Amino acid sequence: VARGINLGFELIDNSAAYGSSQLVRMAILKSNRRREELFLTTRVSNTVQREHRVRDEFFSTLKAFDTNYVDLLQFHWPVTDIYVETWKEIIKLQQEGYVKTIGVANCNIHHLETLYNETGVMPSLNQFECHPLFTQKELVDYCNEHGIQIEAYTPIARADTRMTRLPLMKRMAEKYKKTIVQIVIRWHIQNGRIPIVGARHKKNQMADLDVFDFNLTDDELKAIDAININSRLRYDPDNCDFSIL
């Protein structure tokens, strides 16, 4: 993580559920970047939502980060019958000055509408699974229409061969002298989404950042959109057991 920060990554995507908050602090200290130069994110875990301990967990995370604010606070999943209460706590933390931006993760349209109807506050950001095999067009369109920034996780579809073996993707990679992964990252960026990428090795971290010297054409963007086969690779927030997440 420290190497990635030094190479140029600025957004750190963390969740209390990962148990990695202290490691994030260590990585920031080891890097050559100041806290103010980074966009620090954390999410409320499902366990804490069920136990109604959102504030306790949040301030423990702040202590582990050794900071007095985060740039973005989300809940990790819309835990049934609890997520509205969690959202209200997140709103309070922003009002108190501990959080700059508030958002959610894994929310479908009906979750977003419920949050707004119950509180009058629409999330500024929604992080959800989105990639060429699962474009989630209806949800993407809804977020765009309502000014909700999209963060895409599993953004490269875990390099699924159903995507990487396509002649279309190989042709684009050859044309721009990039990898298929870089083509997909660029597709997200040109569509206004923030792709949440992660790489352990320096070579891959550098490749993930090397996507700002070319532009896909409108036809190429549409061609990648058309790859969609509605193949979800992670959990469905409307049909999953939140107790194991």
Side-chain angles (χ1 to χ4, degrees), residues 200-242:
R200 193 178 291 265
H201 301 291
K202 182 178 180 179
K203 178 182 177 182
N204 293 333
Q205 289 178 337
M206 292 176 68
D208 287 345
L209 288 166
D210 187 23
V211 293
F212 296 100
D213 59 351
F214 73 103
N215 282 295
L216 300 170
T217 67
D218 288 343
D219 286 344
E220 288 167 340
L221 293 173
K222 292 175 182 176
I224 297 175
D225 290 343
I227 293 172
N228 178 57
I229 55 173
N230 290 324
S231 179
R232 187 188 290 273
L233 302 179
R234 301 299 290 156
Y235 300 100
D236 180 355
D238 284 335
N239 185 29
C240 68
D241 182 356
F242 291 118

Side-chain angles (χ1 to χ4, degrees), residues 4-245:
I5 294 171
N6 286 335
L7 288 173
F9 285 101
E10 296 179 350
L11 186 155
I12 300 176
D13 183 68
N14 182 73
S15 173
Y18 301 158
S20 58
S21 300
Q22 198 162 26
L23 294 177
V24 170
R25 179 184 67 182
M26 292 168 63
I28 294 173
L29 289 173
K30 191 175 180 180
S31 75
N32 58 19
R33 305 289 292 278
R34 299 192 309 274
R35 161 69 184 92
E36 294 75 20
E37 297 176 292
L38 303 174
F39 193 90
L40 192 54
T41 297
T42 193
R43 284 186 289 283
V44 178
S45 68
N46 293 345
T47 299
V48 160
Q49 287 194 65
R50 289 191 294 271
E51 295 174 354
H52 309 285
R53 294 191 301 105
V54 173
R55 292 181 69 86
D56 290 344
E57 181 184 71
F58 175 76
F59 286 111
S60 293
T61 300
L62 275 191
K63 183 176 181 181
F65 282 159
D66 192 23
T67 186
N68 57 7
Y69 74 97
V70 295
D71 297 281
L72 171 65
L73 178 63
Q74 308 158 286
F75 57 66
H76 208 141
W77 291 86
V79 179
T80 308
D81 299 327
I82 302 174
Y83 71 95
V84 172
E85 176 186 332
T86 301
W87 182 237
K88 290 177 180 178
E89 291 295 324
I90 289 174
I91 292 171
K92 288 180 184 177
L93 288 167
Q94 184 188 39
Q95 292 171 340
E96 293 167 7
Y98 295 108
V99 180
K100 288 190 174 182
T101 306
I102 55 177
V104 295
N106 297 296
C107 279
N108 288 327
I109 293 173
H110 70 90
H111 296 118
L112 296 169
E113 291 182 337
T114 296
L115 291 175
Y116 182 75
N117 290 336
E118 291 289 331
T119 66
V121 179
M122 185 68 87
S124 295
L125 179 148
N126 186 16
Q127 182 184 120
F128 54 88
E129 180 180 347
C130 182
H131 48 76
L133 298 178
F134 189 56
T135 56
Q136 299 229 62
K137 186 179 187 307
E138 185 179 2
L139 179 55
V140 165
D141 287 347
Y142 180 89
C143 288
N144 288 336
E145 289 167 7
H146 290 81
I148 302 171
Q149 175 63 55
I150 298 169
E151 279 186 339
Y153 75 79
T154 318
I156 61 170
R158 299 192 164 192
D160 193 300
T161 55
R162 291 174 295 174
M163 176 186 72
T164 59
R165 289 182 178 178
L166 291 175
L168 166 72
M169 300 304 293
K170 292 179 179 178
R171 287 196 300 271
M172 287 189 207
E174 291 172 2
K175 173 183 175 181
Y176 293 104
K177 295 181 173 55
K178 298 290 182 179
T179 66
I180 289 175
V181 166
Q182 289 171 315
I183 295 295
V184 174
I185 292 173
R186 187 67 202 171
W187 169 72
H188 282 293
I189 291 171
Q190 285 187 230
N191 278 294
R193 298 188 290 269
I194 301 169
I196 299 298
V197 297
R200 193 178 291 265
H201 301 291
K202 182 178 180 179
K203 178 182 177 182
N204 293 333
Q205 289 178 337
M206 292 176 68
D208 287 345
L209 288 166
D210 187 23
V211 293
F212 296 100
D213 59 351
F214 73 103
N215 282 295
L216 300 170
T217 67
D218 288 343
D219 286 344
E220 288 167 340
L221 293 173
K222 292 175 182 176
I224 297 175
D225 290 343
I227 293 172
N228 178 57
I229 55 173
N230 290 324
S231 179
R232 187 188 290 273
L233 302 179
R234 301 299 290 156
Y235 300 100
D236 180 355
D238 284 335
N239 185 29
C240 68
D241 182 356
F242 291 118
S243 68
I244 65 173
L245 298 178

